[in-house]
């Protein structure tokens, strides 16, 4: 869902996944394929888009808690990746049904293996944020987004 101050959407695509750890790899591959199909071939741009998708999907999968091999998969185990091409950027969004909003934790210790995702996204993106969706039959949870400018 683009910000009203942004340019109109030129193209849009979406992928629905089960919130399992392998969804992150699938999401990265999907984003690369879609962006290449739209004619974006710059390797650095594609790598940045992959990293943003990876970080946002990782957070969505983690918050839903289906990383435990013994977890029972339910209808709330769905995540979605949305890609929208605007005139000067791609908007990357990841939706999940969990109401917890993303909270930056500050910089973790140097030897920490996790905890840098939102900082990485903020560094790469022109802007980023989230929107909480009202509970209802069509939507609930939140969408976390980042816009990545096209290379010049």
């Amino acid at each position: 869902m683009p910000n009203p101050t942004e340019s109109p959407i030129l193209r849009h695509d979406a992928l629905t996944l089960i919130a399992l750890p392998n969804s992150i790899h699938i999401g990265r591959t999907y984003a690369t394929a879609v962006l290449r199909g739209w004619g974006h071939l710059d390797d650095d741009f594609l790598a940045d888009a992959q990293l943003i998708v990876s970080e946002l999907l990782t957070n969505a999968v983690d918050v839903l808690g289906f990383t435990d091999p013994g977890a029972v998969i339910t209808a709330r185990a769905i995540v979605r990746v949305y890609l929208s091409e605007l005139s000067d950027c791609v908007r990357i969004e990841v939706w999940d049904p969990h109401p917890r909003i993303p909270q930056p934790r500050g910089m973790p210790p140097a030897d920490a293996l996790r905890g840098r995702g939102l900082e990485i996204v903020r560094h790469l993106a022109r802007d980023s944020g989230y929107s909480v969706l009202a509970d209802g039959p069509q939507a609930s949870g939140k969408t976390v987004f980042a816009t990545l400018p096209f290379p010049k």
Side-chain angles (χ1 to χ4, degrees), residues 43 90 119:
D43 288 334
V90 64
E119 288 303 316

Side-chain angles (χ1 to χ4, degrees), residues 57-144:
L57 267 177
T58 296
N59 289 348
V61 168
D62 285 353
V63 76
L64 291 173
F66 295 102
T67 55
D68 176 1
V72 176
I73 303 301
T74 69
R76 297 204 41 96
I78 300 294
V79 294
R80 289 190 182 95
V81 179
Y82 299 95
L83 299 175
S84 299
E85 182 184 55
L86 307 174
S87 63
D88 64 343
C89 65
V90 64
R91 183 174 170 101
I92 300 166
E93 298 172 294
V94 173
W95 169 86
D96 71 69
H98 199 283
R100 185 182 330 145
I101 60 172
Q103 294 290 331
R105 296 182 244 176
M107 284 309 288
D111 61 345
L113 299 176
R114 303 176 56 94
R116 294 178 184 81
L118 291 177
E119 288 303 316
I120 290 169
V121 170
R122 282 193 189 100
H123 176 74
L124 294 174
R126 179 171 63 202
D127 66 341
S128 61
Y130 65 90
S131 59
V132 177
L133 306 171
D135 286 334
Q138 297 299 318
S140 64
K142 67 186 166 299
T143 300
V144 183

